[in-house]
Amino acid sequence: MREPSAYDAFALEIRFFSPAPQRLLNEILHRNIPVWGIEHREGFVSFFILPPRKKLFSSFCEHLLPGERWEETPRGLLHLLVLFRKRIGFFAGLLVLVLSLFLSTRFLWGIDVRGNAAVPAHRICEQLAEYGLSPGKRLSKLDDDEIALRFAIDHEEYLYVGINVVGTRAKVEIREREDVKEEAPSYEGSSNLVARTYGRVVRYEVLSGQIEVKKGDYVTEGTLLIGGIRETKNGSFYSVRAAGRVFAETERSFSVTVPLEQVERVYEEEEISRKTYEILGFSLTMPNFSGTLEEKAEMLELVEPLQLFGYDLPVVVRERIFLKSHEKKAVIKVDRAEKLAYDKYEQFKRDTFAEGDEILSENVSVSADEKGVTLTAELLAVENICREAPFRFTENP
């Protein structure tokens, strides 16, 4: 077996079939044509030659004797070039596929949202798009830590926002804040309990701290009820986080007017949609919508990757749906307006009073005129009026 040569990658293998194959070899030696890898086989001789040298014995190949023939076979890179020339469409498509796959790894193609409960995932994706995190964006231009920080600062409804880009998808972890009452902030250190409204103290329960009022006292908003400063037997002082409940007799009032004529927005059945395909940073909008877009038309945007056999392709489909609507005046009946007023009144009581509070009396009156139905309520209740507040220190005692 012959030793490989450095020229094999650019060579042609010539095979000359003849009863006397030495005829070609003598011609090659006579013309001083450089060849290598000469092998004698039964009925033919083979050797290697560079393509530019083949024309030196082309006149010999034109005058072959009966029973003689020759063939050439490209080797190495020449073989690949021949295959490419014969199948240029296949190799061109393969090249485009490889380049597409390579370029697709440089863009963001999907966003996965986890941990959300109250806010739907598509709404969170719409919010993140305002900060530059959306499918089709270049990965090199995305700073996931900065986007998460800005997003968490601007949206207080989220307790925690984490963004981690893995491959071509962004993993978004959301922790929503629990729905707590606004009047109950939390303090880690020492604190006082003060009154959040006017009332007359009827009873109290102290868990920690020093009670500063007694039964029958009238207090106003901000009055100290349970202090966080305690005095020891030896005259020293220490601070604690005041805890307990102070119940007071309070007076509450509520009023609401429900108009009999209201303006409603009626959505039409006709929808105008526009689809845009985004791939490798380019956008292609399909002309598949009809009608005219109104300036005040509401728009819904749906963003999802194009899928094939359940797998995401590096193509993002962005569909904008425009909803046509118009305002319509609606007249409601008096009994319906009265029911709506009572619903608002019940919501007021749920927001105002907590567990353990007691409504002693309530005087509710309902009246109707051309403006609408008005509900007015006066309540007498016993409720916990404590509100936690931090210590306030001044320079002058």
Side-chain angles (χ1 to χ4, degrees), residues 321-364:
I321 302 176
F322 297 87
L323 304 177
K324 288 187 175 181
S325 62
H326 63 273
E327 293 183 351
K328 178 182 177 181
K329 291 185 178 181
V331 178
I332 61 176
K333 296 181 179 180
V334 175
D335 55 349
R336 172 61 177 167
E338 185 176 337
K339 182 179 183 305
L340 293 176
Y342 271 102
D343 290 341
K344 294 180 180 295
Y345 174 55
E346 293 297 328
Q347 184 63 45
F348 163 76
K349 291 193 292 185
R350 287 193 295 268
D351 295 339
T352 303
F353 303 108
E355 183 180 358
D357 297 344
E358 179 185 1
I359 298 178
L360 301 179
S361 64
E362 52 184 326
N363 183 17
V364 181

Side-chain angles (χ1 to χ4, degrees), residues 197-239:
T197 186
Y198 172 85
R200 184 176 64 87
V201 177
V202 294
R203 66 178 187 275
Y204 50 82
E205 304 169 0
V206 180
L207 300 179
S208 65
Q210 178 67 43
I211 186 69
E212 301 292 340
V213 293
K214 60 182 181 294
K215 184 178 178 181
D217 286 351
Y218 286 90
V219 296
T220 60
E221 181 179 357
T223 301
L224 178 62
L225 302 177
I226 301 178
I229 301 296
R230 295 296 305 271
E231 183 180 1
T232 63
K233 294 181 179 179
N234 57 8
S236 61
F237 295 88
Y238 64 96
S239 62

Side-chain angles (χ1 to χ4, degrees), residues 31-285:
R31 297 182 179 230
N32 196 24
I33 302 173
V35 298
W36 72 93
I38 301 175
E39 293 186 4
H40 289 272
R41 304 288 180 87
E42 184 177 353
F44 72 94
V45 63
S46 66
F47 56 88
F48 290 85
I49 186 173
L50 292 176
R53 305 291 185 177
K54 188 184 69 171
K55 62 182 179 180
L56 296 178
F57 62 92
S58 58
S59 59
F60 173 83
C61 298
E62 293 176 357
H63 301 85
L64 298 178
L65 299 176
E68 293 181 342
R69 63 183 178 87
W70 70 283
E71 62 183 27
E72 63 179 61
T73 304
R75 296 298 180 186
L77 295 178
L78 289 177
H79 178 64
L80 294 178
L81 291 176
V82 171
L83 290 178
F84 180 79
R85 184 179 62 183
K86 292 182 179 180
R87 301 176 176 85
I88 185 172
F90 171 78
F91 283 99
L94 182 62
L95 178 61
V96 171
L97 177 62
V98 173
L99 289 177
S100 299
L101 293 177
F102 173 75
L103 293 176
S104 65
T105 60
R106 299 296 188 268
F107 294 85
L108 182 70
W109 297 121
I111 300 177
D112 299 327
V113 180
R114 299 180 300 178
N116 58 305
V119 183
H122 70 86
R123 176 55 182 163
I124 297 177
C125 292
E126 293 175 359
Q127 294 173 344
L128 289 171
E130 299 176 0
Y131 295 82
L133 186 69
S134 62
K137 297 293 184 179
R138 290 182 62 90
L139 295 177
S140 59
K141 296 183 178 180
L142 293 179
D143 190 340
D144 47 2
D145 292 334
E146 181 181 357
I147 293 175
L149 178 60
R150 291 169 49 203
F151 186 75
I153 293 175
D154 295 342
H155 295 79
E156 298 181 354
E157 64 269 25
Y158 303 124
L159 181 64
Y160 167 79
V161 178
I163 302 176
N164 185 23
V165 178
V166 180
T168 59
R169 302 189 68 85
K171 309 293 184 181
V172 180
E173 192 72 24
I174 295 290
R175 292 291 182 271
E176 299 172 342
R177 296 185 183 274
E178 295 182 0
D179 187 14
V180 296
K181 290 188 177 182
E182 295 182 356
E183 69 272 9
S186 177
Y187 301 96
E188 295 297 332
S190 304
S191 62
N192 295 323
L193 290 181
V194 299
R196 57 185 173 89
T197 186
Y198 172 85
R200 184 176 64 87
V201 177
V202 294
R203 66 178 187 275
Y204 50 82
E205 304 169 0
V206 180
L207 300 179
S208 65
Q210 178 67 43
I211 186 69
E212 301 292 340
V213 293
K214 60 182 181 294
K215 184 178 178 181
D217 286 351
Y218 286 90
V219 296
T220 60
E221 181 179 357
T223 301
L224 178 62
L225 302 177
I226 301 178
I229 301 296
R230 295 296 305 271
E231 183 180 1
T232 63
K233 294 181 179 179
N234 57 8
S236 61
F237 295 88
Y238 64 96
S239 62
V240 297
R241 182 178 180 179
R245 297 189 297 177
V246 175
F247 290 89
E249 189 177 274
T250 61
E251 296 179 357
R252 298 280 187 174
S253 61
F254 173 79
S255 179
V256 63
T257 300
V258 179
L260 298 179
E261 186 177 277
Q262 299 181 351
V263 178
E264 298 180 352
R265 181 165 294 276
V266 180
Y267 292 93
E268 301 178 6
E269 295 183 359
E270 179 184 3
E271 295 181 356
I272 300 176
S273 64
R274 175 184 294 173
K275 284 188 177 181
T276 301
Y277 295 87
E278 299 178 355
I279 178 172
L280 302 180
F282 299 95
S283 299
L284 176 62
T285 301

